[in-house]
Amino acid sequence: MRKLHIDNSFTNALPKDPIEENYTRQVEHVAFSKALPLKFAKSSFIHISKLAKELGFTEEDLQSEEFLQLFTGQQPYPNTESYAMAYAGHQFGNWAGQLGDGRAINLFETLQDGNRWAFQLKGAGPTPYSRSGDGLAVLRSSIREHLCSEAMHHLGIPSTRSLSLSLSGEEVLRDVMYDGHPAHEKGAIVCRVAPSFIRFGNFELAAAQGENELLKELADYTIATFFTDIKTSGAEAYLQFFQEVTDRTLEMIMHWQRVGFVHGVMNTDNMSILGLTIDYGPYGWLEPYDHGWTPNTTDRQHKRYRYGAQPEIGLWNLLQLANALFPLIEDAPALQRILDSYKTNYQVQYLDTMMNKIGIYYTHKDDRDLMQALEENLHLHETDMTIFYRELSKIDSKTAVKDAFKVISASFYTNTDVEEKHKNTWLQWLEAYIERLVFDMEQTDDDHSAFAKARIEKMNKTNPKYVLRNYISQLVIDAADQGDYELLGEVYEMLQNPYDEQPEFEKWYALRPEWARSKVGCSMLSCSS
Ligand code: AMP
Ligand code: MG
């Protein structure tokens, strides 16, 4: 296998736990602890993503025993030592204290074409931060992380990546619905890749322990390595850092809202400091559009992390980060101004995203009302978010209202009810929408067909045709449980080009089938993974 350019910036810059044994404990003054992957009798790859080639690995590398040993954790890379990061977090709104990488083991960082990549195995065994967990992961949750993190990347959404998915060859005991029915499942390991896996929680841990020196080291390291445009120093630099994290977090969440992604567990330990989507657990994709929906059954009661609340939760999490950074800045009004900027920027970006989704590009004083009415209509009855927006590009300024209704009905789950109860409400909205399209048309000098064509192209770059619908993941998982990985490969291919028509995958551009409505794994997911 080719030689890697190892450059371990995190472990070189930050303090290491002096204890080297692997037992669960509370740590102090440290950013990470040594942690070695378990030795498994027979690890094997299920899937290697195209990221491998992007990272410069050749086909020969991928076939080599060394590559397998390395990315299943069976053999360390020469002169590297694996480790787990220390972090804390707020879980479901409550302070949870020290958490840390309980089942993620970091291998090393590389520099490749000027880009830094940290490699991390998820599910390779316990670490000093495993608390009562076993440090392992099951196949179903590993498939979900592997497929979705790559899908997000190809949707243009900042995310951690996944290099490979492997079986550990051993079994793991899990109680899927936490209802007293534990069962053995196949153990699996995902090799995740990102510039850094630092979370809000890393800063929160140092701050909660009153470790201002460690907090400063962590912030200085993060800025120097990942926020290189910051040229100031002291409090000014930390404020600028907080502003950038705030902006990136908002940008990430706006993307989630755009495509209907619900993270499911937006605890502060699951918030990347780089604004990457991280920790794919009980996430899900909106099928019927619903602000109140969360896939996470563990959050069923309060629905804290429901789709419609994600922007607000992002802000709440940033407030926790602001508190953690406070000792470095000691200027509450300045931090508050940044948090306020999130709110104003959200308003602007929300309108912008929605305009792009419905394909209007000039502003008009009634735009907010049009969006508001659309949001309300989408909640009238079950309407598939992905299909609705994708189909909308088939309507233009010359479409008759009744034809427009036919177009959008393709996204309705409950046709007959709609005909009776809500048709008029929709017709009214469509009339206003088409009028609005006429107004847009009048603003340009382009002829109708050129304008309409450009509009379809733009809309189709905003509204994906193919997303990782919850039931699709479940079908992949069911097949993989039987040792059949063909569907996994097919879905992976489809998700490489989510905005393209891809007629060969048309069957996945369809309403969720009825059987998936209340099936575990399709509409209900727990944190058990
Ligand atoms: P999550 O909700 O999956 O982000 O996990 C929250 C915390 O629990 C993190 O510190 C994880 O590392 C830890 N954790 C989750 N599952 C396990 C497991 N099976 N073994 C050890 N630690 C775990
Ligand atoms: Mg986590």
Side-chain angles (χ1 to χ4, degrees):
M1 201 186 73
R2 84 187 166 94
K3 200 168 171 304
L4 301 175
H5 181 176
I6 302 287
D7 188 82
N8 289 317
S9 66
F10 183 86
T11 51
N12 287 340
L14 296 161
K16 179 184 170 187
D17 182 357
I19 302 173
E20 299 224 323
E21 289 81 57
N22 193 357
Y23 62 90
T24 294
R25 59 182 174 269
Q26 293 289 308
V27 297
E28 278 175 2
H29 328 291
V30 305
F32 65 96
S33 306
K34 177 178 171 178
L36 301 179
L38 287 176
K39 294 283 170 230
F40 295 111
K42 203 176 177 325
S43 314
S44 57
F45 283 131
I46 289 181
H47 192 253
I48 298 173
S49 77
K50 291 178 188 167
L51 173 63
K53 297 274 166 72
E54 284 173 49
L55 295 176
F57 293 104
T58 62
E59 193 52 47
E60 204 177 310
D61 290 338
L62 306 192
Q63 300 302 330
S64 69
E65 185 61 22
E66 203 185 339
F67 187 88
L68 173 70
Q69 297 284 321
L70 188 56
F71 294 114
T72 56
Q74 300 310 291
Q75 194 67 50
Y77 194 78
N79 305 315
T80 63
E81 184 181 83
S82 53
Y83 61 97
M85 287 186 187
Y87 57 80
H90 280 83
Q91 298 187 315
F92 297 95
N94 302 307
W95 175 241
Q98 178 189 303
L99 298 165
D101 287 330
R103 57 160 164 189
I105 296 180
N106 300 274
L107 298 179
F108 46 74
E109 293 168 49
T110 64
L111 283 175
Q112 165 77 20
D113 305 326
N115 296 315
R116 176 172 301 284
W117 297 107
F119 291 73
Q120 181 181 84
L121 302 179
K122 187 167 172 180
T127 76
Y129 306 98
S130 293
R131 296 173 294 146
S132 57
D134 55 12
L136 303 173
V138 293
L139 180 57
R140 71 184 142 79
S141 65
S142 306
I143 288 177
R144 285 168 48 83
E145 170 136 16
H146 180 68
L147 282 179
C148 198
S149 59
E150 285 301 290
M152 293 292 264
H153 171 75
H154 292 288
L155 281 161
I157 304 177
S159 175
T160 60
R161 306 284 309 269
S162 180
L163 175 72
S164 61
L165 168 67
S166 58
L167 285 174
S168 68
E170 290 177 21
E171 298 211 311
V172 175
L173 195 63
R174 286 288 183 273
D175 187 357
V176 182
M177 294 318 288
Y178 298 124
D179 59 359
H181 295 94
H184 286 286
E185 298 184 45
K186 289 179 186 171
I189 298 172
V190 164
C191 179
R192 311 200 278 196
V193 183
S196 169
F197 291 96
I198 298 179
R199 302 137 191 274
F200 289 13
N202 296 65
F203 295 86
E204 287 182 278
L205 181 62
Q209 293 178 333
E211 295 277 352
N212 287 357
E213 196 43 46
L214 175 59
L215 180 65
K216 184 174 178 313
E217 281 172 18
L218 192 59
D220 289 344
Y221 160 75
T222 308
I223 294 170
T225 318
F226 303 104
F227 293 78
T228 48
D229 58 316
I230 298 179
K231 303 289 183 221
T232 48
S233 62
E236 191 50 46
Y238 302 126
L239 269 177
Q240 206 179 327
F241 167 56
F242 184 60
Q243 178 77 62
E244 283 195 34
V245 176
T246 300
D247 294 345
R248 289 191 195 194
T249 302
L250 176 59
E251 185 193 326
M252 169 186 80
I253 295 174
M254 283 312 306
H255 279 296
W256 295 356
Q257 302 308 97
R258 169 173 66 83
V259 299
F261 174 79
V262 187
H263 182 286
V265 201
M266 289 176 73
N267 293 332
T268 54
D269 52 300
N270 291 339
M271 298 294 291
S272 141
I273 203 74
L274 302 183
L276 306 172
T277 312
I278 191 172
D279 279 12
Y280 292 82
Y283 68 83
W285 295 81
L286 281 192
E287 288 176 310
Y289 188 80
D290 180 2
H291 274 200
W293 187 71
T294 173
N296 184 358
T297 51
T298 316
D299 191 22
R300 189 186 291 161
Q301 201 185 358
H302 301 291
K303 296 194 189 333
R304 177 180 173 85
Y305 298 138
R306 63 193 182 276
Y307 171 72
Q310 294 190 125
E312 199 184 306
I313 292 292
L315 181 60
W316 192 89
N317 289 343
L318 284 160
L319 172 62
Q320 309 316 313
L321 179 63
N323 283 333
L325 296 176
F326 182 78
L328 303 178
I329 299 169
E330 294 189 321
D331 183 348
L335 285 164
Q336 187 58 51
R337 276 195 293 280
I338 295 173
L339 292 168
D340 290 342
S341 77
Y342 180 100
K343 289 187 229 170
T344 32
N345 292 338
Y346 169 72
Q347 292 298 336
V348 174
Q349 291 182 27
Y350 168 76
L351 189 61
D352 216 47
T353 303
M354 287 301 289
M355 304 241 304
N356 282 319
K357 284 190 77 63
I358 70 170
I360 55 179
Y361 304 102
Y362 295 90
T363 46
H364 184 283
K365 66 174 178 38
D366 295 339
D367 285 341
R368 276 195 187 275
D369 294 343
L370 190 71
M371 302 311 169
Q372 179 66 34
L374 174 58
E375 292 271 347
E376 282 166 22
N377 285 10
L378 287 171
H379 283 99
L380 286 174
H381 53 86
E382 291 190 335
T383 302
D384 191 90
M385 178 180 182
T386 305
I387 298 180
F388 178 84
Y389 284 109
R390 187 76 182 188
E391 290 300 302
L392 212 56
S393 71
K394 295 182 180 158
I395 299 172
D396 69 24
S397 58
K398 288 187 175 166
T399 310
V401 174
K402 69 170 188 345
D403 295 335
F405 184 74
K406 251 190 229 131
V407 169
I408 62 164
S409 337
S411 63
F412 296 167
Y413 280 91
T414 43
N415 267 313
T416 42
D417 291 5
V418 177
E419 293 287 336
E420 285 164 32
K421 275 205 241 148
H422 305 299
K423 189 168 178 181
N424 279 338
T425 320
W426 271 118
L427 291 177
Q428 268 169 23
W429 186 82
L430 287 167
E431 200 176 320
Y433 178 50
I434 293 166
E435 262 173 46
R436 186 62 190 76
L437 295 178
V438 172
F439 169 83
D440 242 32
M441 180 74 228
E442 286 165 0
Q443 310 308 302
T444 95
D445 297 331
D446 295 352
D447 69 74
H448 178 271
S449 67
F451 185 75
K453 190 165 167 275
R455 174 172 168 271
I456 292 172
E457 269 171 29
K458 276 197 276 186
M459 282 180 83
N460 287 351
K461 281 188 188 136
T462 303
N463 300 318
K465 176 159 179 172
Y466 300 101
V467 295
L468 185 54
R469 288 173 181 272
N470 313 311
Y471 82 89
I472 300 181
S473 294
Q474 193 55 42
L475 290 174
V476 170
I477 290 164
D478 290 343
D481 268 337
Q482 305 300 315
D484 179 352
Y485 308 120
E486 202 180 308
L487 189 57
L488 190 155
E490 177 182 334
V491 170
Y492 173 80
E493 283 303 323
M494 169 178 90
L495 297 171
Q496 297 285 297
N497 301 295
Y499 299 102
D500 293 355
E501 284 300 316
Q502 304 192 88
E504 68 276 31
F505 296 125
E506 192 74 26
K507 70 167 186 246
W508 300 115
Y509 180 64
L511 296 175
R512 174 195 61 199
E514 235 357 77
W515 61 259
R517 180 178 287 274
S518 50
K519 188 174 178 334
V520 172
C522 298
S523 61
M524 283 190 287
L525 292 142
S526 74
C527 286
S528 163
S529 55

